[in-house]
Amino acid sequence: MNQIACSFAPGFEKIIEELIKSRVNDAQKFSVSSGFVYFFSSQNPIEISSSLDFCNNVFLILKDFSSSVQKDFTSLVNKTVTSKFNSSILELGAKDSFRLRFSQSNQFVNVEKQLTIRAENFIQKTFSLQNDRTGGGKEFWFMTRTDGFAAFAYRMTQKQSTEKRFEQGELRSEFALMFVKMAQLPHKGKFVYADPFAGHGSIPKILSEECSGCTIYASDIDNDLVGKMAQKFNGNRMIRVRQSDATNLSFFKDNSVDCVISDPPWGDFEKEIDIPLLYKKMLVEFDRILKDEGKLCILTGAKNHFEQAVKENKTFSKNSQNPDFKTDVLVNGKKASIYLLKK
């Protein structure tokens, strides 16, 4: 069995095990802490890494020091260089290069030069790689965490810069997946879901992949974004694209939607929008279109404005006392919250 460790956006600890099991069917012996999880699996580590696209980083643990009394980097390196490793499992090429990272409490740190050289020489000899401190293609980490986890690991994640793959304000697909999972929606059934701030379509896309048989309305006030969504979802029978103001969803009848799940403007890029007023008006409209016991799932960084709008809404104000009402998360390093409400 291989030991795999993953870092992910903090706040999703409740659903991370379920998500991993949906991709790695023999995953077992989970240990979850804030933004971090490790587990065991007999599947190919590289294939596991490719399947866990909702994680920030995926590591193959080469040596676990969590049970060791001494977890300083000198002790970790000394124990590592006297150990034997099977390099074939990493699927490394003869011309591959590497660099070494030391991570303490999620921060890269510098260690004594001689300690670094000793560890680099060991990796170079053991795994037949060329050392490239400026940015080698492969990465080996010595890591220690405040939760007691410590390890020598190989970083399997190979991602491109998100700045090249995502537009301003676009919700990353892996984050949209975790958001949808937090909503705890049925996987099958003739349910009606709505994203009134669909933007680039990240949430509707995930909904169509995770919930079979449902109808998804993806709407936005921006004509350009609506046009792009129409092209993106052309041929997808589950998703219906509309141009509409989220405070006036006239194409919906009263009490006709099972769940509204959306990422409304936070005020970061839309300076001309009165966010407090928008939130108050949208809650009135969501109250109108949602069925009794229907769900409302909102992601926002404008937490104070949203909580005040909920407090002033007669239908939704009762939710603020529920334990699942608010979950704090990080979105691309920004503090935000996911809110789960019922009508």
Side-chain angles (χ1 to χ4, degrees), residues 8-12 34 56 175 266 299 327-338:
F8 58 92
F12 294 99
S34 177
N56 297 329
F175 199 95
W266 302 5
L299 167 66
T327 301
D328 291 327
V329 296
L330 285 177
V331 182
N332 296 333
K334 295 182 179 180
K335 293 181 179 180
S337 291
I338 291 174

Side-chain angles (χ1 to χ4, degrees), residues 300-308 326 328 335-337 339:
T300 180
K303 297 186 280 187
N304 291 336
H305 293 320
F306 183 74
E307 290 171 24
Q308 183 61 34
K326 176 182 179 182
D328 291 327
K335 293 181 179 180
S337 291
Y339 295 89

